[in-house]
Amino acid sequence: MSIRELEDPFEQFGGWYADVRAEPAITEPTAVCVATAGTDGLPAARMVLLKAWDRDGFVFYTNYESDKGRDLLGNPQAALLFYWMPLGRQVRVQGQVEQVTADEADAYFASRARDSQIGAWASRQSRPMKGRYELEKRAAEFALKFNVGRVPRPDHWSGFRVVPQRMEFWQEGRFRLHQRLVYLRDGAGWTRQWLFP
């Protein structure tokens, strides 16, 4: 399988993402690894779910008081890695990070299942807890607090948008002769280059 070279990296991503969503062997097509670094320069990586993407960037949501939230608020740069093994494809994204608007976060939060909304209140993400019971107790307390009606979005829970400066498309090849096509932001447009595998 060869990479079809398109001028626009978002068109390239859209085509690949459509292939991924149509592939039954990929059970979670939105899974993406997010790499950050704190103000101390120490890198960290974890899996999240992509919740939106367009020409402005790639969006995921989290607790801003979590490790990744603190990393990104202190050092707003990140790398994303999508790895779709059944298709032999990877996409790497590097760029600056910005916070989504309150309206965007509110709209997405409202679309979540009620139990997930309660979970956003209950979890003191990345902080120590005495045991599972503490989390379940907090979830029960917030379920009681928001017993009826709408669950509001916590102030500490919102989204980040990774605005790409570099996007790389990797296609597995036989005998490790992989294909690598890189797009680099160049003003309002993009330049392309092929890399040795």
Side-chain angles (χ1 to χ4, degrees):
M1 190 180 296
S2 296
I3 296 177
R4 179 177 168 222
E5 185 176 356
L6 302 178
E7 290 188 7
D8 186 294
F10 295 105
E11 288 184 28
Q12 191 84 48
F13 183 84
W16 279 27
Y17 197 55
D19 292 344
V20 167
R21 296 183 74 86
E23 172 54 62
I26 300 175
T27 57
E28 188 48 83
T30 66
V32 58
C33 181
V34 178
T36 61
T39 54
D40 60 0
L42 187 67
R46 75 290 284 163
M47 300 302 294
V48 301
L49 300 181
L50 180 72
K51 291 303 178 183
W53 72 274
D54 57 22
R55 291 182 179 279
D56 293 328
F58 298 84
V59 176
F60 64 92
Y61 289 86
T62 190
N63 184 324
Y64 276 11
E65 296 173 355
S66 67
D67 286 346
K68 63 181 169 296
R70 291 194 301 269
D71 279 358
L72 291 170
L73 292 173
N75 180 17
Q77 303 177 93
L80 305 178
L81 173 61
F82 298 89
Y83 179 43
W84 300 309
M85 184 187 293
L87 297 178
R89 289 176 174 174
Q90 297 183 56
V91 178
R92 297 172 58 197
V93 178
Q94 294 167 277
Q96 299 296 310
V97 175
E98 60 187 29
Q99 298 176 50
V100 303
T101 67
D103 286 346
E104 287 177 282
D106 287 343
Y108 173 67
F109 190 80
S111 76
R112 301 182 89 203
R114 186 178 181 84
D115 286 348
S116 295
Q117 294 174 336
I118 296 295
W121 282 94
S123 177
R124 302 176 72 241
Q125 195 173 339
S126 301
R127 282 170 282 182
M129 66 178 186
K130 296 174 184 174
R132 179 76 184 178
Y133 172 75
E134 183 179 1
L135 175 61
E136 293 175 350
K137 180 173 180 286
R138 285 177 59 83
E141 289 170 351
F142 282 108
L144 185 62
K145 177 178 179 177
F146 301 119
N147 186 30
V148 293
R150 169 181 163 272
V151 179
R153 177 177 62 86
D155 289 340
H156 61 262
W157 191 97
S158 191
F160 288 109
R161 176 179 289 103
V162 180
V163 181
Q165 300 296 314
R166 182 184 189 277
M167 295 175 66
E168 178 181 330
F169 295 82
W170 180 96
Q171 177 68 62
E172 183 178 22
R174 295 182 65 196
F175 311 115
R176 303 191 64 79
L177 299 180
H178 312 309
Q179 298 174 65
R180 297 176 65 187
L181 176 61
V182 173
Y183 294 80
L184 301 169
R185 192 179 289 277
D186 183 11
W190 296 86
T191 58
R192 304 187 303 281
Q193 61 183 207
W194 292 92
L195 301 182
F196 280 103

